[in-house]
Amino acid sequence: MARKIAITNQKGGVGKTTTALGLAAAFQLKGKKVLLVDLDTQGNASAALGLILEQDAITLKELLSQDANISGYIFSTEFLDIIPANNSLKDIEQQLSQNDTFDLLKKRIAPIEADYDFILFDCPPSFNVFTINGLVAADEYIIPVDVGYFAILGLKQLLEEINQIKQKLNPSLSLSGVLASKHDKRTTLSDQVLETLKSNFQDTFFKTTIRVNIDLVRAQIANESIFKFNPKSTGAQDFLCLSEEIINDKKEKN
């Protein structure tokens, strides 16, 4: 059965999509089969995989709108399968919110969970109905945090909101870890913020940090995994280490 991991932070620009794509590529390198669910109306993960979809294309919107076979909504790419999204997802946001439809995604993916080792949910930069659906469908969640001046702001509120989801909708949800992203070892501020984060989150803070690496962006522009674009880059090294940390952490819990 797949490990289902939501990647979330209501703050934008912290590396959620980069984390989802980097982790997916690293898991695939280790022989794991991965499904990525793009829950963001911006569709950045989909675009990074070369899926620039028209408004009437088959996307997550249609999957959540129709009671249909999920296999028809999965696209296969070089290193993962994806249920893509685009701006049309906004068309159903109000309806889902008004009806408190928070477990729809969980129901939709249930038939194919056994087909994958990992299912990753790339959540939008807001705590909306799609983020909630991702957290309800997941077993674990990762919070990427940009190691900058405002890194900790909003984290307390985010954790409180996720705890509400856990209490009301998904009691088995657990924090896989807080992930430091965009770490720049050349700056004192970056190191200071990193130490503050470590002291605040301690055992729930990943040992691996994702360093600033332009090749991570270039790989997305080229619609390639970081391991194909530049396997010797620090980005590739960091995500390989992170994938190992996640896999080994699960073995310790079993």
Side-chain angles (χ1 to χ4, degrees):
M1 191 65 69
R3 283 180 66 180
K4 296 167 291 180
I5 305 175
I7 300 168
T8 185
N9 190 328
Q10 59 195 8
K11 187 174 182 290
V14 297
K16 289 186 294 296
T17 297
T18 298
T19 299
L21 294 170
L23 261 182
F27 287 145
Q28 187 267 346
L29 201 66
K30 290 185 167 296
K32 307 297 184 183
K33 188 172 183 183
V34 184
L35 172 67
L36 175 61
V37 182
D38 191 349
L39 288 163
D40 192 350
T41 58
Q42 298 176 78
N44 289 335
S46 304
L49 294 168
L51 298 174
I52 308 297
L53 302 169
E54 301 296 332
Q55 287 292 103
D56 59 351
I58 297 174
T59 65
L60 179 65
K61 173 200 169 184
E62 283 68 40
L63 176 62
L64 296 179
S65 302
Q66 305 169 18
D67 186 10
N69 190 330
I70 188 174
S71 61
Y73 298 86
I74 298 173
F75 289 68
S76 293
T77 72
E78 173 195 358
F79 61 96
L80 54 70
D81 288 350
I82 181 171
I83 299 176
N86 61 14
N87 194 54
S88 68
L89 198 57
K90 289 182 177 179
D91 296 344
I92 62 171
E93 182 174 358
Q94 185 175 0
Q95 178 185 351
L96 295 181
S97 298
Q98 289 177 341
N99 296 333
D100 292 338
T101 311
F102 301 133
D103 62 349
L104 188 55
L105 181 60
K106 179 178 182 179
K107 293 176 180 176
R108 291 290 191 266
I109 67 167
I112 49 89
E113 285 184 35
D115 298 336
Y116 294 93
D117 298 297
F118 289 92
I119 299 177
L120 305 178
F121 304 98
D122 186 19
C123 297
S126 60
F127 208 82
N128 62 17
V129 68
F130 302 119
T131 297
I132 297 174
N133 262 268
L135 291 167
V136 171
D139 304 311
E140 314 164 46
Y141 63 99
I142 292 171
I143 303 177
V145 179
D146 179 357
V147 185
Y149 182 72
F150 298 106
I152 302 177
L153 296 180
L155 272 183
K156 182 179 179 181
Q157 178 185 354
L158 175 62
L159 289 168
E160 289 175 351
E161 290 174 333
I162 292 176
N163 191 49
Q164 290 293 316
I165 299 300
K166 180 175 181 176
Q167 291 179 1
K168 297 177 180 179
L169 300 169
N170 187 3
S172 63
L173 185 65
S174 64
L175 175 60
S176 182
V178 175
L179 173 67
S181 67
K182 301 182 180 180
H183 179 215
D184 190 346
K185 291 187 174 182
R186 299 168 298 180
T187 68
T188 302
L189 174 62
S190 191
D191 284 338
Q192 289 175 341
V193 173
L194 182 62
E195 290 306 312
T196 301
L197 286 167
K198 286 180 178 179
S199 65
N200 274 271
F201 294 98
Q202 300 180 7
D203 294 340
T204 58
F205 197 82
F206 283 112
K207 296 176 182 177
T208 304
T209 61
I210 308 301
R211 290 168 285 181
V212 172
N213 181 215
I214 191 62
D215 281 342
L216 288 168
V217 177
R218 288 172 175 163
Q220 292 178 25
I221 294 172
N223 303 143
E224 294 179 354
S225 79
I226 186 60
F227 298 99
K228 180 178 180 180
F229 185 82
N230 187 354
K232 295 182 179 179
S233 66
T234 57
Q237 295 169 20
D238 292 346
F239 277 112
L240 191 59
C241 288
L242 179 62
S243 70
E244 291 171 350
E245 189 173 349
I246 291 172
I247 292 170
N248 292 335
D249 180 59
K250 188 63 177 180
K251 288 179 181 177
E252 291 172 3
K253 292 177 182 178
N254 285 339

